[in-house]
Amino acid sequence: MKAVVLAAGLGTRFKSEKPKVLHEILGKPMLWYVVSTVRQGGIEDIAVVVGYRAQEVMEALGEGYAYYVQENPKGGTADAVLASIDFWRNSEGYVLIINGDSPLVSPETIRNMQRFLHMVEEYEKIRLGGVVLTSVLQDPTGYGRIIKEEGTDRILRIVEEKDATPQERNVREVNGGVYMFYIPYLLEALFKISPSEKTGELYLTDVVAYMVSRGYEVRSFMASDPTEILGVNTRWELSFAENILRLKLIKYWAQKGVTFHVPETVWIEPDVTLSKNVEIFPGVMLKGRTRVGENVVIKTGAILEDSEVEESVVIEPYSYVSGSVIRKRAKVGPYARVRENSVVGEGAEVGNFVEVKKSEIGKDVKAKHLAYIGDATVGDSSNIGAGVVTANYDGRKKHRTEIGKGAFIGSNSLLVAPLRLGNFSYVAGGSVITKDVPEGALAIERSRMRILKDRGRRLLGNHEDL
Ligand code: UD1
Ligand code: CA
Protein backbone atom coordinates (compact mmCIF):
# COMPACT_ATOMS: atom_id res chain seq x y z
CA MET A 1 0.00 0.00 0.00
CA LYS A 2 1.12 3.56 -0.69
CA ALA A 3 0.45 6.52 1.57
CA VAL A 4 -0.32 10.17 0.90
CA VAL A 5 0.23 12.73 3.65
CA LEU A 6 -1.64 16.02 3.28
CA ALA A 7 0.53 18.92 4.34
CA ALA A 8 -0.25 21.78 1.99
CA GLY A 9 -2.71 23.74 4.11
CA LEU A 10 -2.18 27.25 5.43
CA GLY A 11 -2.94 26.50 9.06
CA THR A 12 -4.69 29.85 9.44
CA ARG A 13 -5.75 29.19 13.01
CA PHE A 14 -2.10 28.88 14.07
CA LYS A 15 -1.52 32.56 13.30
CA SER A 16 1.92 31.67 12.07
CA GLU A 17 4.17 32.43 9.11
CA LYS A 18 5.84 29.09 9.56
CA PRO A 19 3.89 26.20 8.04
CA LYS A 20 1.69 24.64 10.69
CA VAL A 21 3.02 21.12 10.07
CA LEU A 22 6.56 22.31 10.88
CA HIS A 23 5.67 23.47 14.36
CA GLU A 24 7.48 21.22 16.77
CA ILE A 25 6.42 18.60 19.24
CA LEU A 26 9.27 17.45 21.51
CA GLY A 27 11.84 18.91 19.17
CA LYS A 28 10.50 17.38 15.94
CA PRO A 29 8.10 18.85 13.38
CA MET A 30 4.52 17.69 13.80
CA LEU A 31 4.75 16.22 10.30
CA TRP A 32 7.67 14.01 11.34
CA TYR A 33 5.34 12.11 13.69
CA VAL A 34 2.84 11.52 10.91
CA VAL A 35 5.38 10.12 8.46
CA SER A 36 7.03 8.05 11.20
CA THR A 37 3.68 6.56 12.14
CA VAL A 38 2.97 5.66 8.53
CA ARG A 39 6.38 4.08 8.14
CA GLN A 40 6.17 2.15 11.41
CA GLY A 41 2.70 1.12 10.33
CA GLY A 42 4.43 -0.84 7.57
CA ILE A 43 4.04 1.58 4.64
CA GLU A 44 7.31 2.67 3.07
CA ASP A 45 6.13 4.33 -0.10
CA ILE A 46 5.03 7.77 1.05
CA ALA A 47 4.07 10.92 -0.82
CA VAL A 48 3.74 14.26 0.91
CA VAL A 49 1.53 16.93 -0.61
CA VAL A 50 3.02 20.35 0.03
CA GLY A 51 1.80 23.80 -0.93
CA TYR A 52 2.13 26.60 1.54
CA ARG A 53 5.90 27.27 1.85
CA ALA A 54 6.53 24.00 0.08
CA GLN A 55 10.29 24.43 -0.01
CA GLU A 56 10.59 24.74 3.76
CA VAL A 57 8.43 21.70 4.36
CA MET A 58 10.44 19.58 1.92
CA GLU A 59 13.73 20.71 3.46
CA ALA A 60 12.55 19.96 6.98
CA LEU A 61 11.41 16.47 6.10
CA GLY A 62 14.31 15.67 3.78
CA GLU A 63 14.74 12.84 1.33
CA GLY A 64 12.88 9.59 1.30
CA TYR A 65 9.50 10.92 0.26
CA ALA A 66 7.82 11.73 -3.03
CA TYR A 67 6.72 15.34 -2.96
CA TYR A 68 3.74 16.74 -4.82
CA VAL A 69 2.80 20.38 -4.93
CA GLN A 70 -0.80 21.48 -4.56
CA GLU A 71 -0.99 24.72 -6.50
CA ASN A 72 -3.93 26.11 -4.55
CA PRO A 73 -3.42 25.53 -0.83
CA LYS A 74 -7.01 26.57 -0.30
CA GLY A 75 -8.21 23.94 -2.75
CA GLY A 76 -9.24 21.61 0.03
CA THR A 77 -8.25 18.11 1.09
CA ALA A 78 -9.62 16.39 -2.03
CA ASP A 79 -7.72 18.87 -4.22
CA ALA A 80 -4.58 17.94 -2.27
CA VAL A 81 -5.17 14.24 -2.95
CA LEU A 82 -5.68 15.04 -6.63
CA ALA A 83 -2.33 16.86 -6.66
CA SER A 84 -0.66 13.53 -5.87
CA ILE A 85 -2.70 11.49 -8.33
CA ASP A 86 0.32 10.36 -10.38
CA PHE A 87 1.77 8.82 -7.27
CA TRP A 88 -1.08 6.43 -6.53
CA ARG A 89 -3.43 6.11 -9.51
CA ASN A 90 -1.73 3.06 -11.04
CA SER A 91 -1.30 1.15 -7.80
CA GLU A 92 -3.24 -1.91 -6.81
CA GLY A 93 -5.78 -2.02 -4.05
CA TYR A 94 -6.01 0.70 -1.44
CA VAL A 95 -4.18 3.93 -0.70
CA LEU A 96 -3.74 5.42 2.76
CA ILE A 97 -4.49 9.12 3.07
CA ILE A 98 -3.62 10.87 6.30
CA ASN A 99 -3.79 14.49 7.43
CA GLY A 100 -0.42 16.06 8.16
CA ASP A 101 -1.87 17.60 11.33
CA SER A 102 -2.73 14.28 13.02
CA PRO A 103 0.47 13.52 14.94
CA LEU A 104 -1.07 11.25 17.56
CA VAL A 105 -2.21 8.39 15.35
CA SER A 106 -0.32 5.25 16.36
CA PRO A 107 1.46 2.79 14.06
CA GLU A 108 -0.71 -0.01 15.49
CA THR A 109 -3.80 1.79 14.25
CA ILE A 110 -2.33 1.98 10.74
CA ARG A 111 -1.58 -1.75 10.90
CA ASN A 112 -4.99 -2.58 12.31
CA MET A 113 -6.78 -0.66 9.58
CA GLN A 114 -4.87 -2.64 6.93
CA ARG A 115 -5.71 -5.86 8.75
CA PHE A 116 -9.33 -4.83 8.92
CA LEU A 117 -9.48 -4.43 5.12
CA HIS A 118 -7.93 -7.87 4.64
CA MET A 119 -10.40 -9.44 7.06
CA VAL A 120 -13.39 -7.94 5.31
CA GLU A 121 -12.12 -9.17 1.94
CA GLU A 122 -11.23 -12.60 3.29
CA TYR A 123 -14.31 -13.38 5.34
CA GLU A 124 -17.07 -11.20 3.97
CA LYS A 125 -15.86 -11.28 0.37
CA ILE A 126 -16.58 -7.56 0.04
CA ARG A 127 -14.41 -4.99 -1.60
CA LEU A 128 -14.94 -1.87 0.51
CA GLY A 129 -14.83 1.60 -1.00
CA GLY A 130 -12.85 2.53 2.05
CA VAL A 131 -12.35 2.60 5.77
CA VAL A 132 -12.24 5.77 7.87
CA LEU A 133 -10.59 6.13 11.27
CA THR A 134 -13.12 7.53 13.72
CA SER A 135 -13.48 8.23 17.39
CA VAL A 136 -16.29 9.20 19.72
CA LEU A 137 -15.46 12.46 21.45
CA GLN A 138 -17.00 14.20 24.43
CA ASP A 139 -16.70 17.42 22.47
CA PRO A 140 -16.73 16.87 18.70
CA THR A 141 -16.41 20.57 17.84
CA GLY A 142 -14.39 21.26 14.72
CA TYR A 143 -14.37 17.74 13.33
CA GLY A 144 -16.31 16.22 10.46
CA ARG A 145 -19.24 14.18 11.83
CA ILE A 146 -19.71 10.55 10.87
CA ILE A 147 -23.25 9.87 9.72
CA LYS A 148 -23.92 6.13 9.76
CA GLU A 149 -26.58 3.71 8.82
CA GLU A 150 -28.10 3.03 12.18
CA GLY A 151 -26.81 0.03 14.08
CA THR A 152 -24.04 -0.70 11.56
CA ASP A 153 -20.44 0.30 10.80
CA ARG A 154 -21.50 1.64 7.44
CA ILE A 155 -20.82 5.31 6.94
CA LEU A 156 -23.35 7.14 4.79
CA ARG A 157 -21.53 10.43 4.65
CA ILE A 158 -19.18 12.71 6.55
CA VAL A 159 -20.52 16.18 7.27
CA GLU A 160 -18.12 19.02 7.95
CA GLU A 161 -19.07 21.12 10.93
CA LYS A 162 -19.70 24.20 8.83
CA ASP A 163 -22.24 22.33 6.73
CA ALA A 164 -23.85 20.31 9.51
CA THR A 165 -27.43 20.74 10.69
CA PRO A 166 -27.89 21.20 14.46
CA GLN A 167 -28.91 17.55 14.67
CA GLU A 168 -25.81 16.42 12.81
CA ARG A 169 -23.66 18.54 15.09
CA ASN A 170 -24.92 16.48 17.99
CA VAL A 171 -23.25 13.41 16.54
CA ARG A 172 -20.19 12.66 18.64
CA GLU A 173 -18.46 10.21 16.32
CA VAL A 174 -15.92 12.16 14.29
CA ASN A 175 -13.61 11.75 11.33
CA GLY A 176 -9.99 11.23 12.36
CA GLY A 177 -8.57 12.27 9.01
CA VAL A 178 -7.07 8.84 8.25
CA TYR A 179 -8.54 6.90 5.35
CA MET A 180 -7.83 3.87 3.22
CA PHE A 181 -9.67 4.10 -0.09
CA TYR A 182 -9.93 1.58 -2.89
CA ILE A 183 -8.05 3.27 -5.71
CA PRO A 184 -10.43 2.75 -8.67
CA TYR A 185 -13.39 4.00 -6.63
CA LEU A 186 -11.40 6.92 -5.24
CA LEU A 187 -10.42 8.01 -8.74
CA GLU A 188 -14.01 7.90 -9.85
CA ALA A 189 -15.24 9.80 -6.79
CA LEU A 190 -12.62 12.54 -6.84
CA PHE A 191 -13.73 13.61 -10.30
CA LYS A 192 -17.39 13.60 -9.36
CA ILE A 193 -17.54 15.60 -6.15
CA SER A 194 -18.01 19.37 -6.28
CA PRO A 195 -16.61 22.17 -4.12
CA SER A 196 -18.34 23.15 -0.89
CA GLU A 197 -20.77 26.01 -1.35
CA LYS A 198 -19.65 27.51 1.94
CA THR A 199 -15.87 27.49 1.43
CA GLY A 200 -15.19 26.66 -2.20
CA GLU A 201 -12.94 23.81 -1.06
CA LEU A 202 -13.05 20.34 -2.47
CA TYR A 203 -13.58 18.07 0.54
CA LEU A 204 -12.02 14.62 0.63
CA THR A 205 -14.77 13.67 3.04
CA ASP A 206 -17.31 14.10 0.23
CA VAL A 207 -15.98 11.05 -1.60
CA VAL A 208 -17.71 8.91 1.03
CA ALA A 209 -21.28 9.96 0.13
CA TYR A 210 -20.40 9.59 -3.53
CA MET A 211 -19.10 6.07 -3.06
CA VAL A 212 -22.19 5.13 -1.07
CA SER A 213 -24.39 6.49 -3.84
CA ARG A 214 -22.59 4.13 -6.25
CA GLY A 215 -23.16 1.18 -3.96
CA TYR A 216 -19.60 1.00 -2.57
CA GLU A 217 -19.49 0.43 1.14
CA VAL A 218 -17.39 2.63 3.45
CA ARG A 219 -16.85 1.54 7.03
CA SER A 220 -15.68 3.18 10.19
CA PHE A 221 -12.73 1.92 12.17
CA MET A 222 -12.77 3.11 15.74
CA ALA A 223 -9.45 4.28 17.24
CA SER A 224 -8.56 2.26 20.32
CA ASP A 225 -7.61 5.45 22.13
CA PRO A 226 -9.83 8.45 21.36
CA THR A 227 -6.95 10.94 21.75
CA GLU A 228 -5.24 9.39 18.72
CA ILE A 229 -7.36 11.27 16.27
CA LEU A 230 -6.64 14.73 17.70
CA GLY A 231 -6.15 17.19 14.85
CA VAL A 232 -3.77 20.03 15.64
CA ASN A 233 -5.39 23.22 14.39
CA THR A 234 -4.33 25.70 17.07
CA ARG A 235 -1.26 26.28 19.19
CA TRP A 236 -3.16 25.16 22.22
CA GLU A 237 -3.92 21.86 20.52
CA LEU A 238 -0.20 21.63 19.73
CA SER A 239 0.60 21.91 23.45
CA PHE A 240 -2.02 19.33 24.18
CA ALA A 241 -0.66 16.91 21.57
CA GLU A 242 2.87 17.44 22.88
CA ASN A 243 1.74 16.56 26.37
CA ILE A 244 0.09 13.37 25.25
CA LEU A 245 3.12 12.24 23.22
CA ARG A 246 5.46 13.19 26.06
CA LEU A 247 3.58 11.09 28.58
CA LYS A 248 3.34 8.20 26.13
CA LEU A 249 7.12 8.21 25.74
CA ILE A 250 7.66 8.42 29.48
CA LYS A 251 5.28 5.54 30.05
CA TYR A 252 7.14 3.52 27.43
CA TRP A 253 10.46 4.04 29.24
CA ALA A 254 8.90 3.43 32.64
CA GLN A 255 7.77 0.05 31.35
CA LYS A 256 11.37 -0.64 30.32
CA GLY A 257 12.60 -0.05 33.88
CA VAL A 258 13.17 3.69 34.21
CA THR A 259 11.97 5.55 37.32
CA PHE A 260 10.43 8.98 36.88
CA HIS A 261 9.73 11.33 39.75
CA VAL A 262 6.94 13.77 38.89
CA PRO A 263 6.76 12.63 35.26
CA GLU A 264 4.48 15.51 34.30
CA THR A 265 7.56 17.78 34.51
CA VAL A 266 9.98 15.62 32.52
CA TRP A 267 10.78 16.22 28.84
CA ILE A 268 12.08 13.38 26.69
CA GLU A 269 12.46 13.63 22.93
CA PRO A 270 11.69 10.68 20.65
CA ASP A 271 15.28 9.88 19.60
CA VAL A 272 16.52 9.57 23.19
CA THR A 273 17.34 6.08 24.47
CA LEU A 274 17.41 5.06 28.11
CA SER A 275 18.59 1.91 29.85
CA LYS A 276 17.11 0.12 32.78
CA ASN A 277 17.42 1.41 36.33
CA VAL A 278 17.84 4.99 35.21
CA GLU A 279 16.30 7.39 37.70
CA ILE A 280 14.98 10.74 36.57
CA PHE A 281 14.00 13.59 38.86
CA PRO A 282 11.58 16.48 38.23
CA GLY A 283 12.21 19.02 35.52
CA VAL A 284 14.80 17.01 33.57
CA MET A 285 15.10 17.52 29.79
CA LEU A 286 16.61 14.83 27.58
CA LYS A 287 17.03 16.08 24.05
CA GLY A 288 18.20 15.02 20.61
CA ARG A 289 20.09 11.76 20.31
CA THR A 290 20.99 11.45 23.96
CA ARG A 291 21.80 7.94 25.21
CA VAL A 292 21.75 7.09 28.87
CA GLY A 293 23.33 3.94 30.33
CA GLU A 294 22.23 1.72 33.20
CA ASN A 295 21.94 2.98 36.78
CA VAL A 296 22.37 6.61 35.82
CA VAL A 297 20.75 9.20 38.09
CA ILE A 298 19.70 12.50 36.55
CA LYS A 299 18.68 15.02 39.13
CA THR A 300 16.31 17.91 39.00
CA GLY A 301 16.59 20.53 36.29
CA ALA A 302 19.38 18.83 34.36
CA ILE A 303 19.46 19.10 30.56
CA LEU A 304 21.20 16.50 28.39
CA GLU A 305 21.36 17.13 24.67
CA ASP A 306 22.92 14.92 21.97
CA SER A 307 25.11 13.34 24.60
CA GLU A 308 26.12 9.91 25.76
CA VAL A 309 26.05 9.13 29.45
CA GLU A 310 27.56 5.80 30.44
CA GLU A 311 26.47 3.57 33.29
CA SER A 312 26.33 4.69 36.92
CA VAL A 313 26.92 8.36 36.17
CA VAL A 314 25.28 10.93 38.43
CA ILE A 315 24.13 14.19 36.88
CA GLU A 316 23.57 16.58 39.76
CA PRO A 317 20.86 19.30 39.64
CA TYR A 318 20.77 22.02 37.00
CA SER A 319 23.65 20.75 34.91
CA TYR A 320 23.65 21.18 31.14
CA VAL A 321 25.51 18.65 29.02
CA SER A 322 25.49 18.94 25.24
CA GLY A 323 27.28 17.11 22.43
CA SER A 324 29.52 15.29 24.89
CA VAL A 325 30.31 11.95 26.47
CA ILE A 326 30.25 11.27 30.21
CA ARG A 327 32.04 8.06 31.01
CA LYS A 328 31.19 5.46 33.65
CA ARG A 329 30.70 6.53 37.26
CA ALA A 330 31.57 10.16 36.58
CA LYS A 331 29.78 12.89 38.47
CA VAL A 332 28.66 16.12 36.85
CA GLY A 333 27.28 19.15 38.66
CA PRO A 334 25.42 20.62 40.36
CA TYR A 335 25.34 23.57 37.98
CA ALA A 336 27.96 22.25 35.59
CA ARG A 337 28.17 22.93 31.87
CA VAL A 338 29.80 20.40 29.54
CA ARG A 339 29.68 21.11 25.84
CA GLU A 340 30.96 20.64 22.27
CA ASN A 341 32.57 17.22 22.00
CA SER A 342 33.91 17.08 25.50
CA VAL A 343 34.61 13.84 27.29
CA VAL A 344 34.42 13.50 31.04
CA GLY A 345 36.45 10.43 31.99
CA GLU A 346 35.52 7.45 34.06
CA GLY A 347 34.98 8.35 37.71
CA ALA A 348 35.85 12.00 37.11
CA GLU A 349 34.09 14.82 38.94
CA VAL A 350 33.11 18.04 37.26
CA GLY A 351 31.37 20.00 39.94
CA ASN A 352 29.75 23.26 40.94
CA PHE A 353 29.87 25.97 38.28
CA VAL A 354 32.51 24.25 36.19
CA GLU A 355 32.41 24.73 32.42
CA VAL A 356 34.08 22.24 30.10
CA LYS A 357 34.28 22.96 26.38
CA LYS A 358 35.92 20.85 23.63
CA SER A 359 38.03 19.18 26.26
CA GLU A 360 39.00 15.72 27.33
CA ILE A 361 38.91 15.19 31.04
CA GLY A 362 40.76 12.02 32.04
CA LYS A 363 39.83 9.26 34.39
CA ASP A 364 39.34 10.23 38.06
CA VAL A 365 40.10 13.88 37.41
CA LYS A 366 38.62 16.27 39.95
CA ALA A 367 37.48 19.73 38.93
CA LYS A 368 34.98 20.37 41.62
CA HIS A 369 34.40 24.10 41.73
CA LEU A 370 34.27 27.21 39.57
CA ALA A 371 36.62 26.36 36.71
CA TYR A 372 36.70 26.95 32.95
CA ILE A 373 38.36 24.18 30.98
CA GLY A 374 38.26 24.95 27.26
CA ASP A 375 40.19 23.35 24.39
CA ALA A 376 42.15 21.29 26.88
CA THR A 377 43.24 17.78 27.71
CA VAL A 378 43.48 16.86 31.36
CA GLY A 379 45.35 13.65 32.17
CA ASP A 380 44.07 10.95 34.49
CA SER A 381 43.82 11.71 38.22
CA SER A 382 44.78 15.35 37.90
CA ASN A 383 43.27 17.91 40.23
CA ILE A 384 41.92 21.21 38.94
CA GLY A 385 41.47 23.68 41.80
CA ALA A 386 38.64 26.13 42.32
CA GLY A 387 38.72 29.06 39.95
CA VAL A 388 41.23 27.61 37.47
CA VAL A 389 40.82 29.08 34.01
CA THR A 390 42.33 27.98 30.72
CA ALA A 391 42.79 31.20 28.78
CA ASN A 392 42.25 29.56 25.41
CA TYR A 393 41.47 32.60 23.29
CA ASP A 394 43.91 35.37 22.45
CA GLY A 395 41.29 37.51 20.75
CA ARG A 396 41.89 35.91 17.36
CA LYS A 397 42.52 32.21 17.73
CA LYS A 398 41.77 29.40 20.11
CA HIS A 399 44.74 27.51 21.58
CA ARG A 400 45.03 24.23 23.41
CA THR A 401 46.15 23.42 26.93
CA GLU A 402 47.56 20.00 27.65
CA ILE A 403 47.80 18.85 31.21
CA GLY A 404 49.46 15.53 31.95
CA LYS A 405 48.31 12.92 34.40
CA GLY A 406 48.53 13.28 38.18
CA ALA A 407 49.00 17.05 37.91
CA PHE A 408 47.85 19.54 40.52
CA ILE A 409 46.62 22.92 39.36
CA GLY A 410 46.19 25.18 42.39
CA SER A 411 43.16 27.36 42.88
CA ASN A 412 42.68 30.47 40.84
CA SER A 413 45.50 29.74 38.41
CA LEU A 414 45.34 31.11 34.90
CA LEU A 415 46.73 28.79 32.24
CA VAL A 416 47.50 30.87 29.17
CA ALA A 417 47.35 28.63 26.09
CA PRO A 418 49.04 27.24 24.10
CA LEU A 419 50.52 25.39 27.01
CA ARG A 420 51.78 21.99 28.13
CA LEU A 421 51.96 20.94 31.74
CA GLY A 422 53.80 17.66 32.23
CA ASN A 423 52.74 14.64 34.23
CA PHE A 424 52.85 15.26 37.98
CA SER A 425 53.48 18.94 37.48
CA TYR A 426 52.34 21.28 40.21
CA VAL A 427 51.02 24.79 39.73
CA ALA A 428 50.87 26.92 42.84
CA GLY A 429 47.55 28.62 43.46
CA GLY A 430 47.07 32.06 41.99
CA SER A 431 49.76 31.67 39.32
CA VAL A 432 49.54 33.01 35.79
CA ILE A 433 51.24 30.30 33.74
CA THR A 434 52.54 31.36 30.34
CA LYS A 435 55.31 28.80 29.80
CA ASP A 436 55.29 25.02 29.62
CA VAL A 437 55.90 23.22 32.91
CA PRO A 438 58.07 20.08 32.71
CA GLU A 439 57.12 16.77 34.24
CA GLY A 440 57.29 16.79 38.02
CA ALA A 441 58.12 20.51 38.30
CA LEU A 442 56.54 23.14 40.52
CA ALA A 443 55.53 26.36 38.82
CA ILE A 444 54.85 29.38 40.91
CA GLU A 445 54.20 32.82 39.53
CA ARG A 446 53.20 35.46 42.02
CA SER A 447 54.88 38.37 43.73
CA ARG A 448 56.45 37.53 47.01
CA MET A 449 54.15 38.07 49.95
CA ARG A 450 55.24 40.49 52.67
CA ILE A 451 54.06 40.98 56.25
CA LEU A 452 54.41 44.54 57.53
CA LYS A 453 53.92 44.60 61.23
CA ASP A 454 51.20 46.98 62.57
CA ARG A 455 50.86 48.64 59.16
CA GLY A 456 47.28 47.51 58.86
CA ARG A 457 46.20 49.08 62.08
CA ARG A 458 47.82 52.33 61.12
CA LEU A 459 46.01 52.43 57.81
CA LEU A 460 42.69 51.80 59.47
CA GLY A 461 43.16 54.14 62.38
CA ASN A 462 42.71 53.06 65.98
CA HIS A 463 39.35 51.57 66.71
CA GLU A 464 39.54 51.25 70.43
CA ASP A 465 35.73 51.08 70.66
CA LEU A 466 35.73 47.65 68.89
C1 UD1 B 1 -10.32 17.61 8.27
C2 UD1 B 1 -11.56 16.83 7.78
C3 UD1 B 1 -12.49 16.58 8.96
C4 UD1 B 1 -11.75 15.80 10.04
C5 UD1 B 1 -10.46 16.53 10.45
C6 UD1 B 1 -9.63 15.62 11.33
C7 UD1 B 1 -11.91 17.52 5.46
C8 UD1 B 1 -12.71 18.30 4.54
N1 UD1 B 1 -12.23 17.58 6.74
O1 UD1 B 1 -10.81 18.86 8.75
O2 UD1 B 1 -13.61 15.84 8.54
O3 UD1 B 1 -12.58 15.62 11.16
O4 UD1 B 1 -9.67 16.86 9.28
O5 UD1 B 1 -8.54 16.30 11.83
O6 UD1 B 1 -10.99 16.84 5.04
N2 UD1 B 1 -4.62 20.30 3.56
C9 UD1 B 1 -4.01 20.34 2.34
N3 UD1 B 1 -4.57 21.08 1.36
C10 UD1 B 1 -5.72 21.78 1.53
C11 UD1 B 1 -6.33 21.74 2.81
C12 UD1 B 1 -5.77 20.99 3.78
O7 UD1 B 1 -2.97 19.71 2.13
O8 UD1 B 1 -6.17 22.43 0.57
C13 UD1 B 1 -4.00 19.52 4.64
C14 UD1 B 1 -3.63 20.38 5.82
O9 UD1 B 1 -2.30 20.81 5.72
C15 UD1 B 1 -3.85 19.44 6.99
C16 UD1 B 1 -4.87 18.44 6.50
O10 UD1 B 1 -4.91 18.57 5.10
O11 UD1 B 1 -2.67 18.78 7.35
C17 UD1 B 1 -6.25 18.69 7.10
O12 UD1 B 1 -6.69 19.97 6.73
P1 UD1 B 1 -7.49 20.90 7.74
O13 UD1 B 1 -7.77 22.17 7.04
O14 UD1 B 1 -6.80 20.98 9.02
O15 UD1 B 1 -8.83 20.07 7.87
P2 UD1 B 1 -9.88 20.12 9.06
O16 UD1 B 1 -10.73 21.32 8.90
O17 UD1 B 1 -9.19 19.91 10.35
CA1 CA C 1 -7.07 19.83 10.94
Side-chain angles (χ1 to χ4, degrees):
M1 193 182 293
K2 288 185 169 185
V4 177
V5 179
L6 308 183
L10 293 167
T12 321
R13 287 166 281 179
F14 248 66
K15 302 191 169 58
S16 160
E17 296 281 284
K18 177 159 101 175
K20 176 175 84 171
V21 291
L22 293 191
H23 279 260
E24 290 185 355
I25 293 177
L26 300 173
K28 298 267 191 195
M30 185 195 311
L31 190 54
W32 179 87
Y33 291 88
V34 178
V35 295
S36 304
T37 288
V38 171
R39 192 157 272 153
Q40 287 171 41
I43 302 172
E44 295 286 338
D45 213 353
I46 304 169
V48 180
V49 181
V50 292
Y52 177 67
R53 298 211 177 189
Q55 200 57 36
E56 276 171 62
V57 178
M58 292 190 280
E59 270 166 32
L61 215 51
E63 288 173 9
Y65 307 96
Y67 291 102
Y68 290 85
V69 179
Q70 181 186 8
E71 296 300 336
N72 172 12
K74 281 188 170 165
T77 42
D79 185 56
V81 174
L82 277 166
S84 68
I85 192 166
D86 291 337
F87 176 73
W88 50 266
R89 71 182 310 162
N90 294 321
S91 307
E92 297 268 304
Y94 294 82
V95 60
L96 165 71
I97 298 166
I98 181 167
N99 285 350
D101 65 350
S102 299
L104 297 184
V105 177
S106 73
E108 295 73 58
T109 295
I110 301 297
R111 286 183 194 280
N112 289 338
M113 285 175 78
Q114 289 167 269
R115 219 168 277 148
F116 177 76
L117 286 173
H118 289 145
M119 300 272 276
V120 172
E121 288 201 355
E122 186 105 330
Y123 297 107
E124 299 183 43
K125 311 278 182 234
I126 308 175
R127 153 98 356 111
L128 293 181
V131 56
V132 179
L133 182 68
T134 73
S135 181
V136 176
L137 298 183
Q138 207 59 275
D139 176 10
T141 308
Y143 292 89
R145 308 296 204 278
I146 301 289
I147 312 298
K148 280 178 166 172
E149 193 181 305
E150 240 182 74
T152 73
D153 279 349
R154 281 186 217 131
I155 305 180
L156 296 174
R157 60 185 190 280
I158 302 176
V159 189
E160 291 307 303
E161 181 157 283
K162 287 178 188 141
D163 307 309
T165 64
Q167 253 167 336
E168 287 168 335
R169 284 185 190 205
N170 285 335
V171 172
R172 287 170 46 222
E173 185 169 0
V174 302
N175 170 20
V178 183
Y179 323 79
M180 288 175 187
F181 286 122
Y182 185 59
I183 289 170
Y185 301 168
L186 177 65
L187 266 177
E188 185 186 335
L190 280 173
F191 287 106
K192 289 287 164 49
I193 57 175
S194 41
S196 150
E197 281 172 18
K198 291 248 169 65
T199 63
E201 289 183 24
L202 210 52
Y203 291 157
L204 180 58
T205 44
D206 282 350
V207 306
V208 172
Y210 176 81
M211 285 186 184
V212 172
S213 77
R214 299 281 291 137
Y216 313 139
E217 200 176 307
V218 178
R219 295 221 189 140
S220 63
F221 183 90
M222 194 90 73
S224 48
D225 172 355
T227 63
E228 265 191 51
I229 64 107
L230 179 80
V232 176
N233 300 305
T234 63
R235 298 204 190 220
W236 185 237
E237 283 166 346
L238 182 77
S239 306
F240 194 70
E242 184 166 72
N243 241 347
I244 293 172
L245 276 164
R246 198 176 53 75
L247 284 170
K248 258 194 195 173
L249 266 173
I250 289 177
K251 186 174 173 193
Y252 169 84
W253 289 115
Q255 281 163 344
K256 297 227 160 204
V258 176
T259 297
F260 292 93
H261 302 282
V262 202
E264 56 272 37
T265 66
V266 173
W267 172 284
I268 296 186
E269 296 185 357
D271 289 337
V272 169
T273 57
L274 304 176
S275 309
K276 64 174 190 283
N277 267 328
V278 168
E279 186 168 10
I280 295 179
F281 282 83
V284 164
M285 286 184 103
L286 304 179
K287 296 160 66 94
R289 301 200 160 270
T290 293
R291 287 188 290 160
V292 180
E294 284 184 23
N295 305 315
V296 168
V297 181
I298 308 173
K299 296 200 186 156
T300 198
I303 303 171
L304 305 182
E305 186 172 14
D306 293 319
S307 293
E308 189 182 343
V309 178
E310 295 182 355
E311 61 187 73
S312 306
V313 161
V314 179
I315 308 288
E316 297 286 355
Y318 303 104
S319 298
Y320 184 7
V321 178
S322 54
S324 295
V325 179
I326 313 295
R327 299 235 182 270
K328 279 185 239 175
R329 292 189 306 283
K331 212 173 123 188
V332 172
Y335 299 99
R337 172 81 170 109
V338 179
R339 61 191 177 98
E340 284 180 68
N341 293 317
S342 291
V343 178
V344 174
E346 197 178 321
E349 290 184 37
V350 168
N352 304 262
F353 304 101
V354 172
E355 179 178 356
V356 177
K357 188 215 81 173
K358 277 193 188 154
S359 293
E360 246 178 79
I361 307 291
K363 196 171 168 230
D364 296 323
V365 165
K366 289 194 167 52
K368 296 180 67 161
H369 337 260
L370 298 163
Y372 173 62
I373 305 172
D375 302 299
T377 317
V378 181
D380 295 351
S381 300
S382 287
N383 192 298
I384 307 291
V388 167
V389 169
T390 54
N392 57 334
Y393 185 50
D394 60 11
R396 295 186 192 186
K397 275 185 73 182
K398 299 277 168 67
H399 300 281
R400 292 201 64 86
T401 301
E402 280 172 37
I403 302 175
K405 59 186 178 190
F408 181 94
I409 314 300
S411 294
N412 219 34
S413 300
L414 184 64
L415 307 179
V416 183
L419 203 59
R420 276 164 179 270
L421 309 184
N423 296 336
F424 311 106
S425 60
Y426 193 119
V427 171
S431 300
V432 177
I433 302 297
T434 51
K435 285 183 253 170
D436 290 355
V437 181
E439 176 160 344
L442 167 71
I444 178 162
E445 191 283 340
R446 18 162 137 123
S447 43
R448 188 169 292 277
M449 182 179 159
R450 293 187 296 165
I451 299 282
L452 304 180
K453 210 166 169 246
D454 266 334
R455 183 72 164 268
R457 198 191 304 276
R458 260 195 280 148
L459 285 170
L460 292 169
N462 272 331
H463 286 286
E464 270 149 17
D465 48 327
L466 283 182

